[in-house]
Amino acid sequence: MSELDKTAPWAALRAFTDARIALGRAGTSLPTREVLTFNQAHAAARDAVWAEPEFGPLRRNWPQVPEVRSRAESRAVYLRRPDLGRQLNPVSRAELEALGSPAPDLLIVVGDGLSAAALDHAPELLQALLPLLAGLDVQLLLARQCRVALGDEAGEVLGARAALMVLGERPGLSSADSLGAYLTYAPQVGRLDSERNCVSNIRPGGLEPAAAARRLAYLVRESLRRELSGVTLKDESEARPDALPGGPRLH
């Protein structure tokens, strides 16, 4: 960064954000360091989009969790056809129908979405969230090549009262590993985005998984109690920091 730029009034703000501000300049161009950093971030975002999900860490904690796939047969198809990522593969749908387990209060689907790298944070999120769902029947599910609306169909098949879709967000140039969590009451095919609550940017450098778990536990309980989700359900968890001990009944 040039001497002139070091005195820029917002250079100090750079310490508080990952956004690309106060980059400095070399003549009329960006400093080489910033160009290289940008290229590195762009490559990380592309890698996150194309990577196959790794469910090993989740399976070590929850080995019996079923796995489903969307109708997108490959990553290339998934990226070109978002509609296929919202639908269950016929084989996966039949397997869910054959589970025969009681309808859960909450279905949690953990999937790759647009960033398989974000799945690294899923175990920590679930370990913090599940104890806060004391007394609820919770069904876990893993999903490949999935979009948010896949949880609607899966929740409808299982008769879940609510569905929580946890998946990798579209990578940005400041973070390629953010998780997003989308809560839908009474999931069924055709639900609108306005009928969901979203907690996003879940990662160590963003919203810490433990903090996200507290918000999600609040939203889940309020959703089930008031039988709604989306724009009519507000996140007031910070005003009600009451503890939620115990654990759910896992299928």
Side-chain angles (χ1 to χ4, degrees):
M1 184 179 296
S2 70
E3 290 301 319
L4 176 62
D5 291 325
K6 286 181 179 178
T7 64
W10 59 337
L13 299 178
R14 195 172 183 185
F16 300 98
T17 178
D18 293 330
R20 284 185 162 75
I21 63 172
L23 300 182
R25 59 186 170 84
T28 58
S29 302
L30 286 172
T32 301
R33 179 190 62 252
E34 297 299 339
V35 173
L36 294 176
T37 301
F38 179 92
N39 290 339
Q40 183 183 39
H42 188 248
R46 290 176 61 89
D47 286 350
V49 167
W50 283 98
E52 291 292 328
E54 173 53 61
F55 291 133
L58 286 162
R59 290 211 173 280
R60 281 195 286 275
N61 288 280
W62 301 280
Q64 303 302 321
V65 175
E67 181 178 323
V68 298
R69 303 183 68 95
S70 74
R71 286 178 179 262
E73 297 178 351
S74 68
R75 200 62 179 169
V77 172
Y78 170 81
L79 294 174
R80 289 197 305 267
R81 293 285 306 272
D83 57 315
L84 297 181
R86 302 183 185 111
Q87 305 170 51
L88 282 171
N89 177 293
V91 173
S92 292
R93 182 181 174 100
E95 290 173 349
L96 285 186
E97 291 172 338
L99 278 181
S101 55
D105 294 313
L106 178 67
L107 169 66
I108 300 179
V109 185
V110 181
D112 46 6
L114 284 166
S115 172
L119 291 175
D120 291 348
H121 312 310
E124 184 179 356
L125 176 66
L126 291 182
Q127 286 168 349
L129 175 60
L130 292 175
L132 301 177
L133 301 176
L136 299 181
D137 286 314
V138 175
Q139 171 74 56
L140 295 180
L141 202 63
L142 303 178
R144 291 179 184 269
Q145 318 286 21
C146 63
R147 305 272 177 171
V148 173
L150 187 87
D152 295 341
E153 184 176 355
E156 185 179 59
V157 171
L158 295 175
R161 294 178 62 199
L164 181 65
M165 193 74 187
V166 178
L167 75 176
E169 296 178 334
R170 185 186 306 276
L173 291 175
S174 60
S175 64
D177 60 344
S178 289
L179 273 178
Y182 298 80
L183 174 67
T184 308
Y185 181 78
Q188 56 184 307
V189 175
R191 284 294 191 197
L192 303 175
D193 288 343
S194 60
E195 296 174 299
R196 314 185 197 282
N197 289 88
C198 175
V199 176
S200 64
N201 196 28
I202 303 170
R203 60 187 178 95
L207 179 62
E208 291 283 345
R214 289 193 292 273
R215 290 191 183 187
L216 289 170
Y218 172 84
L219 288 170
V220 167
R221 290 187 174 279
E222 285 300 295
S223 176
L224 295 176
R225 183 179 71 83
R226 298 166 60 184
E227 300 184 341
L228 51 80
S229 62
V231 296
T232 54
L233 177 61
K234 305 302 180 187
D235 177 11
E236 300 173 318
S237 55
E238 292 185 3
R240 297 176 55 188
D242 44 318
L244 300 169
R249 297 185 291 274
L250 284 173
H251 294 307

